[in-house]
Amino acid sequence: PPPSPAGAAAVHVPQCDLEAQIEADIQSVETLGDPLKRMLSMTNASQAEKNILKIRQIVQKFQRHPADTGSPEVQIAVNTERIMTLQVHMKDHHKDNNTKRGLLQLVADRRSMMRYLKRKDKDRYYEVIEALGLRDMINLIPPKAFLPPKAALKEELKQKQKAQFRENLKLGIVSKKKKKKSK
């Protein structure tokens, strides 16, 4: 354990129990004097430390289980926070091309993660965009304007057939078994 400040009781906390360690740290900070509390407060933290703390809070808010850091919801929320931080930076430093490139990459990553989440679970997707205050800009059907006319008609027909099949599947008219093609 790290050395305790003068006047604080030394508390030994097992490394594996993070919550107990945080609780012990909070108790040891409460026993400190007022000047030391002010020195350790977040008002004196660097911007990088504040960003890290904000990201940790976001991870806790969006995680599915206590050890979850990689679910699509968490990644979308963390990328959104990082995007907002970089937007503030870009307002002051509009010629910073390296940051601009990183910002565009983050936006692309978030967009692809949002597309994945919408494709896999629409309910969670809508919950996440509502919680983050984002707009629903993800369209899973390719725009017809970019397809040649014949391909656009085929795509539209395919989408209608899929929708009809899903509807029939719900009603129990069709089974999921595929017919074997005979040669």
Side-chain angles (χ1 to χ4, degrees), residues 14-158:
Q15 225 25 35
C16 62
D17 195 4
L18 185 61
E19 290 179 11
Q21 185 177 3
I22 291 171
E23 186 64 34
D25 288 345
I26 291 172
Q27 289 175 356
S28 66
V29 167
E30 289 174 357
T31 62
L32 300 175
D34 193 41
L36 204 48
K37 279 185 190 179
R38 281 195 312 253
M39 192 169 65
L40 295 174
S41 74
M42 284 305 291
T43 56
N44 294 326
S46 68
Q47 187 61 47
E49 291 170 335
K50 290 177 183 177
N51 292 344
I52 289 170
L53 180 65
K54 215 170 195 180
I55 287 175
R56 283 184 185 161
Q57 291 170 344
I58 287 172
V59 168
Q60 285 178 344
K61 181 179 177 184
F62 285 94
Q63 62 189 186
R64 293 188 209 166
H65 52 82
D68 179 23
T69 57
S71 68
E73 296 93 334
V74 171
Q75 290 184 46
I76 291 169
V78 168
N79 279 353
T80 300
E81 178 58 37
R82 290 180 63 201
I83 287 168
M84 290 190 301
T85 303
L86 288 178
Q87 282 177 336
V88 171
H89 173 80
M90 288 301 295
K91 283 182 183 175
D92 294 337
H93 308 282
H94 62 276
K95 291 187 177 183
D96 187 354
N97 288 321
N98 292 331
T99 302
K100 184 186 283 188
R101 183 178 182 276
L103 177 62
L104 292 174
Q105 184 62 47
L106 276 174
V107 170
D109 289 346
R110 179 181 71 178
R111 184 174 175 80
S112 102
M113 193 58 61
M114 289 171 70
R115 185 178 292 118
Y116 169 82
L117 186 60
K118 186 171 185 177
R119 190 174 61 240
K120 293 296 179 184
D121 190 349
K122 286 189 180 188
D123 294 335
R124 287 190 314 184
Y125 168 76
Y126 287 113
E127 288 172 11
V128 168
I129 65 170
E130 184 180 332
L132 294 173
L134 300 174
R135 291 179 292 165
D136 180 18
M137 298 293 292
I138 305 299
N139 186 5
L140 299 177
I141 301 170
K144 295 175 191 171
F146 298 118
L147 294 175
K150 271 189 173 179
L153 289 174
K154 279 185 178 179
E155 186 65 31
E156 191 174 334
L157 180 64
K158 191 188 299 184

